[in-house]
Amino acid sequence: FGGIDRLHECIAYTMKTYHPQCLLIASSCTAGVIGDDVDEEAASAEEEYGIPSMSMPFAGFLGGEYSDGYYKTAKAIMDRFFVRNDHEKDSVLLLGDQMGPHGQYVREVTRLLTLLGLHVDYQFPGYVPFKDWKNVTKASYSIMLGTAGQPAGMVDMAKRLETEFGVKCVGDVYPTGFESTCRWIRQVAEVTGRKDLGDKVVEEETKRLTAEISSYLPMTKGKKAAIAIGRGIRWYHPRETLASLQRLALDVEAIYFLPNLTDEDRAAFRKEIDPFGSIPIYEDSTGHRLEDYDVLLTTNEMTNAGVRQLFIPMVALAGFEGEQIFLRSLYRLLCRRGRKGGIAYVKA
């Protein structure tokens, strides 16, 4: 259908204009349906231009989930360019993107790893330049970036790095939310042989957080709060929110389950909420005076509620910095004059 001819022209233009060191060709759904031979074109380009040229023929929806192309491309890079290296002491490889090296997640992870005497040298696959692909396996440890479990593609990548290249994986634990961050630090410290230092970092970071929020307490202590949950247990865990509210000494007077939750979600939420005492739980918010609360923390924006709302992030922000941002957002919302409603968002 002429697609290969256009691809040939596109490759020639790219080589002339940008002089790349490596070429990866990703196929679209249309190319997959038509059956264009992209593999052959990639092989011809490698022979003609003398640089690595690889076809990624996953064809969008024809290749399964859209994310499959991401992991298969990473695998193709590993197959061709990764070599076994001597490991650099205390060097860390981050696996995944999470908004890149300048995003809140990776910034905080890098900061916490520095406190543990570790240094981040690579973030694969999206943020390692071509010239360093062969050096990625110099890292001593890999840390998966994520929230609450990983797709098989990321786990396979971590396992392969460990078995074939000796890059030890820290494990399936993530620094999202305060409590999870503490667990993550202790896990990293244990795997890297610095358990005592991990306990010290948790202690010092906790003290720093406590000192910062002490100035919030005159405004937050004793204020009435409620939580409205409309997102499933896969995405949201109330224990982190309840622990945060305890730090600010707010009184949680009710928790509302919104109608879209499944019975399984409701049961899982009750199990997480139980350790925090006898908080009234309602199966719906209909008929309740939400405006009687000082603040409503919610996973779903509620219209015409007449109460100040704080939208809970789908995924808790990373690290102690993430907890600071969350508590500061809640404090500032409570500082607003009036009680006419409106909604605020937690922003990194």
Side-chain angles (χ1 to χ4, degrees):
F1 287 73
I4 286 295
D5 292 339
R6 292 297 302 274
L7 174 60
H8 186 85
E9 294 172 3
C10 181
I11 292 172
Y13 174 83
T14 299
M15 297 305 302
K16 180 180 179 180
T17 306
Y18 300 107
H19 311 290
Q21 296 173 293
C22 179
L23 184 68
L24 284 81
I25 306 170
S27 300
S28 69
C29 309
T30 305
V33 171
I34 293 171
D36 288 333
D37 192 349
V38 182
D39 289 342
E40 176 61 28
E41 187 61 28
S44 298
E46 179 157 343
E47 182 177 353
E48 181 175 355
Y49 298 107
I51 65 167
S53 301
M54 303 164 63
S55 168
M56 305 293 143
F58 310 125
F61 68 85
L62 294 178
E65 293 290 336
Y66 281 102
S67 60
D68 287 353
Y70 176 91
Y71 295 110
K72 290 177 180 177
T73 300
K75 180 182 181 299
I77 292 171
M78 294 173 71
D79 288 344
R80 177 149 185 183
F81 298 100
F82 278 25
V83 296
R84 196 172 183 95
N85 281 301
D86 294 332
H87 300 300
E88 297 176 353
K89 187 175 184 294
D90 301 329
S91 175
V92 172
L93 159 65
L94 303 180
L95 293 176
D97 289 346
Q98 287 294 328
M99 297 188 296
H102 304 295
Q104 188 274 331
Y105 191 117
V106 177
R107 286 200 325 267
E108 178 67 353
V109 163
T110 301
R111 183 184 74 84
L112 293 173
L113 291 175
T114 300
L115 296 178
L116 291 170
L118 300 164
H119 49 90
V120 174
D121 291 318
Y122 310 101
Q123 187 177 347
F124 183 81
Y127 298 93
V128 179
F130 170 71
K131 65 182 179 61
D132 287 333
W133 284 355
K134 63 182 182 298
N135 298 321
V136 167
T137 55
K138 290 181 179 180
S140 295
Y141 309 100
S142 76
I143 292 178
M144 291 188 289
L145 305 179
T147 55
Q150 289 291 354
M154 185 69 78
V155 175
D156 290 346
M157 197 188 308
K159 288 180 178 177
R160 183 177 178 188
L161 282 162
E162 189 164 79
T163 56
E164 292 187 27
F165 303 103
V167 181
K168 191 169 186 177
C169 181
V170 166
D172 191 20
V173 58
Y174 307 95
T176 50
F178 182 90
E179 305 299 333
S180 296
T181 296
C182 292
R183 289 192 294 272
W184 179 83
I185 288 175
R186 291 191 170 105
Q187 174 78 1
V188 173
E190 184 172 345
V191 169
T192 60
R194 53 200 82 195
K195 184 177 182 299
D196 291 342
L197 181 56
D199 291 337
K200 181 180 179 182
V201 169
V202 169
E203 181 182 357
E204 291 180 349
E205 289 289 296
T206 302
K207 285 181 179 178
R208 187 167 67 89
L209 178 65
T210 302
E212 176 172 334
I213 65 176
S214 62
S215 63
Y216 301 168
L217 295 178
M219 173 58 68
T220 62
K221 186 176 181 180
K223 287 292 191 344
K224 296 187 295 184
I227 303 173
I229 304 174
R231 190 177 296 130
I233 194 70
R234 178 184 177 189
W235 303 110
Y236 173 67
H237 292 276
R239 60 173 177 262
E240 289 283 0
T241 303
L242 289 166
S244 297
L245 297 182
Q246 281 186 342
R247 291 186 188 94
L248 292 181
L250 279 92
D251 295 332
V252 182
E253 299 201 340
I255 294 176
Y256 299 97
F257 292 157
L258 300 182
N260 55 305
L261 295 177
T262 66
D263 291 340
E264 291 77 10
D265 287 331
R266 295 166 189 262
F269 286 138
R270 288 180 182 275
K271 188 175 181 180
E272 282 199 14
I273 294 166
D274 280 347
F276 290 89
S278 55
I279 303 172
I281 299 175
Y282 301 99
E283 294 299 322
D284 196 352
S285 62
T286 305
H288 292 265
R289 286 180 53 85
L290 300 181
E291 62 268 23
D292 289 343
Y293 304 113
D294 293 296
V295 64
L296 174 70
L297 292 93
T298 177
T299 64
N300 300 60
E301 297 100 326
M302 301 179 71
T303 59
N304 303 317
V307 59
R308 286 176 290 197
Q309 298 179 52
L310 183 68
F311 185 80
I312 304 169
M314 179 176 287
V315 177
L317 297 177
F320 295 95
E321 179 192 75
E323 181 71 357
Q324 287 173 311
I325 293 169
F326 179 76
L327 296 179
R328 190 181 304 131
S329 299
L330 182 52
Y331 165 71
R332 288 175 174 171
L333 181 59
L334 287 169
C335 287
R336 288 185 184 176
R337 294 176 61 86
R339 298 178 58 160
K340 296 182 180 179
I343 188 163
Y345 297 86
V346 179
K347 296 181 180 179

